[in-house]
Amino acid sequence: MKISGIKYLTGEGVKNAWVNRLMTLASIGVLVACMVIIGLAILISENVNKAIGNLEQQNVVMAYMKDYSWALYGEKDTTSEAQSSEATSDAVAEGGEDAVAEEEADVNGIKPSDYVIHNDDEAKALCDKIAKLPNVASVTYVTGDEGLESVKKSMLEGQESYFTFLDEEYGNPLPGSAKVTMKDMSQFDSTLEQIKQMDGISAIQSQDDLADKITAIKRGITIAGFWIIVILMVISLVIVSNTIRVTMYNRKLEISIMKAVGATDSFVRIPFVVEGILIGVISALIAEGLLYFCYRVATETIISTLGTNDIVRYGDVAVMLLLIFIGIGVFAGVLGSVIMISKYLRREGSEFAAI
């Protein structure tokens, strides 16, 4: 098609929108309302996801290690004792008296083979191993002394005296631990099992119920957002289709003449497609500006009332929203116009020829 033909058909599409400006304005108004609602749903979802993300960071898993404190104060099962005895027997068989000397118990009756993590380097190596799991976001090594200080800080004022018995004779009963945060809470249980299976981990402290709630909230928001978009897209298609239908009704004689002189279906269809696209793009631009104003007023009110800045800034999602609005507008405009004009073109102009 020549450039002159493209200019003519584009001009016809703009002319159609102007001639039927009342229906065009009605379509734009409905599309803008749909887009603003979709935009608000996206912004609410983004803010909820940000809040949940902060909550996920607080949902920390503590993986306690099998170190000296665990061997001294922890509860052992018969399997651990059997493994320890077997390891000692193997050491005697392989190394003789020297190996027995290495396995001699200390004053507390603890032998090196009774625990897995013997120093900070081995503890950090275990943390590095945990950090390599796909769903692990971060891992921090917490020594027993750091853990004890954290417990003391969480106590009420004056209750620190409860820990005065932990002198040099009794020591610190808390083992070293790995502080783990995860990326995707829907994989919480599987990641937890992977950590539990690692050699050197004695126990895990977690909030399984919180992880389940976070996953359920995310799933609910996703489903609700999907259906909101689907319903509003259907409404948009109906409105644009009706606008195109009115335009076709006003131009049915002209279309009949064009078909009679040999105009192709594409030549007849393009002006209506242009009209639909024009309606969609104008609606997207208006919706973007209106949503920015509404969201700015809402966020300023929330910040001044609640005193929090932990809100998604509009500038961070402005381009994404504009592209979504334009995509929705163009899709609704093109599909609505194509469906409506094709309905008549399939009749081979019989409806127009009757005029």
Side-chain angles (χ1 to χ4, degrees):
M1 184 180 294
K2 296 182 180 180
I3 297 178
S4 57
I6 295 175
K7 289 182 177 179
Y8 169 76
L9 294 175
T10 303
E12 286 296 304
V14 175
K15 179 182 176 183
N16 289 344
W18 174 251
V19 170
N20 299 285
R21 48 189 175 273
L22 290 179
M23 280 299 298
T24 299
L25 288 174
S27 299
I28 289 175
V30 174
L31 276 176
V32 167
C34 293
M35 289 178 184
V36 169
I37 295 174
I38 291 174
L40 287 173
I42 293 173
L43 288 169
I44 291 173
S45 176
E46 289 293 320
N47 279 284
V48 171
N49 285 333
K50 185 174 182 179
I52 291 176
N54 295 334
L55 189 60
E56 286 178 339
Q57 295 302 316
Q58 298 174 13
N59 187 27
V60 175
V61 173
M62 299 300 297
Y64 294 99
M65 301 179 181
K66 295 180 179 179
D67 58 8
Y68 185 84
S69 296
W70 167 80
L72 182 59
Y73 295 102
E75 295 181 359
K76 317 294 186 304
D77 55 23
T78 56
T79 302
S80 299
E81 293 178 356
Q83 290 175 347
S84 177
S85 300
E86 184 180 348
T88 303
S89 300
D90 292 341
V92 172
E94 294 178 5
E97 294 181 358
D98 292 337
V100 175
E102 291 178 1
E103 283 296 313
E104 286 183 355
D106 61 10
V107 294
N108 294 315
I110 304 297
K111 300 186 295 292
S113 60
D114 290 337
Y115 53 101
V116 179
I117 306 300
H118 300 88
N119 50 56
D120 286 348
D121 291 336
E122 292 182 357
K124 291 177 182 177
L126 180 57
C127 289
D128 292 339
K129 187 177 179 181
I130 295 174
K132 292 180 181 178
L133 294 177
N135 191 41
V136 172
S138 65
V139 180
T140 304
Y141 171 51
V142 181
T143 65
D145 292 337
E146 291 173 342
L148 182 59
E149 288 300 319
S150 178
V151 172
K152 288 180 179 180
K153 290 179 181 178
S154 66
M155 302 295 287
L156 297 176
E157 185 178 354
Q159 292 182 345
E160 295 88 348
S161 58
Y162 296 164
F163 298 91
T164 54
F165 70 94
L166 297 176
D167 53 17
E168 294 182 359
E169 180 181 354
Y170 293 97
N172 181 2
L174 294 181
S177 60
K179 184 178 180 181
V180 184
T181 57
M182 300 184 190
K183 298 175 184 177
D184 186 359
M185 300 309 292
S186 63
Q187 303 178 28
F188 183 86
D189 292 336
S190 60
T191 306
L192 217 59
E193 285 300 319
Q194 290 177 312
I195 297 175
K196 287 179 180 179
Q197 297 300 322
M198 290 186 177
D199 187 29
I201 298 297
S202 63
I204 291 182
Q205 183 182 39
S206 64
Q207 295 178 323
D208 301 41
D209 55 340
L210 180 58
D212 293 338
K213 289 177 182 178
I214 290 174
T215 303
I217 292 172
K218 278 188 170 182
R219 187 184 299 112
I221 291 173
T222 301
I223 294 174
F226 171 79
W227 284 111
I228 287 174
I229 292 175
V230 169
I231 293 171
L232 294 178
M233 280 297 300
V234 171
I235 295 174
S236 302
L237 282 173
V238 172
I239 295 300
V240 173
S241 298
N242 285 335
T243 301
I244 301 300
R245 185 175 185 178
V246 171
T247 303
M248 287 188 345
Y249 179 81
N250 292 336
R251 297 189 61 192
K252 58 185 180 180
L253 179 58
E254 182 180 347
I255 294 173
S256 179
I257 293 173
M258 285 192 295
K259 292 292 292 181
V261 298
T264 62
D265 289 348
S266 298
F267 189 87
V268 175
R269 184 182 291 116
I270 288 176
F272 298 99
V273 173
V274 171
E275 181 183 1
I277 293 175
L278 182 64
I279 292 173
V281 172
I282 293 175
S283 300
L285 296 175
I286 295 175
E288 179 80 3
L290 185 60
L291 185 61
Y292 167 75
F293 174 77
C294 295
Y295 189 72
R296 181 177 178 180
V297 172
T299 52
E300 288 178 352
T301 303
I302 292 173
I303 291 172
S304 61
T305 304
L306 302 179
T308 177
N309 288 319
D310 195 19
I311 298 174
V312 175
R313 296 186 305 169
Y314 192 84
D316 296 337
V317 294
V319 176
M320 178 190 72
L321 288 174
L322 181 59
L323 293 177
I324 290 175
F325 290 161
I326 291 176
I328 292 173
V330 171
F331 176 78
V334 171
L335 188 60
S337 57
V338 168
I339 290 174
M340 195 53 60
I341 189 66
S342 296
K343 177 180 177 182
Y344 287 96
L345 291 178
R346 279 196 300 268
R347 299 176 182 176
E348 298 180 355
S350 59
E351 181 177 332
F352 307 117
I355 300 173

